[in-house]
Amino acid sequence: GSNVHNVRALLPALKVGCAIVLIGGVPAPFDTVAFDLIFSRHSIEGSLIGGVPETAEMLEFCAKHNIVPDIDVIHAKDADAAFQKLVSGGGA
């Protein structure tokens, strides 16, 4: 069976004018309400980009240009402070 995607439940997590992007195909229809999208200027978009060849190409590009992830492991008790730092543009 396919998983049910509760897209409507994700919309409140978006800032005004932002989008939920579905990578790959969603095998089953999902429910949402037009007013949830209209009043907050949200959108639901999709992309087929993200298959194995595209991922391999992206990783090769990153390796060639020394693009690496910036990871900061935090304790759960520090999550709010880390989030506030991200919101203020301070990074992780």
Side-chain angles (χ1 to χ4, degrees):
S2 63
N3 292 329
V4 175
H5 297 313
N6 188 353
V7 174
R8 187 173 187 202
L10 300 173
L11 294 175
L14 297 176
K15 290 184 178 181
V16 172
C18 290
I20 290 176
V21 179
L22 305 172
I23 305 297
V26 177
F30 53 84
D31 290 326
T32 192
V33 176
F35 288 122
D36 291 346
L37 301 172
I38 295 168
F39 290 128
S40 295
R41 296 191 333 260
H42 292 152
S43 63
I44 300 171
E45 303 173 12
S47 174
L48 293 177
I49 302 298
V52 173
E54 293 86 359
T55 302
E57 180 182 353
M58 180 270 307
L59 290 172
E60 290 169 10
F61 177 87
C62 290
K64 179 179 177 182
H65 297 282
N66 197 30
I67 299 170
V68 297
D70 184 9
I71 299 170
D72 189 8
V73 178
I74 61 167
H75 291 282
K77 66 180 178 58
D78 300 323
D80 188 56
F83 179 74
Q84 293 305 320
K85 188 176 177 182
L86 284 171
V87 169
S88 68

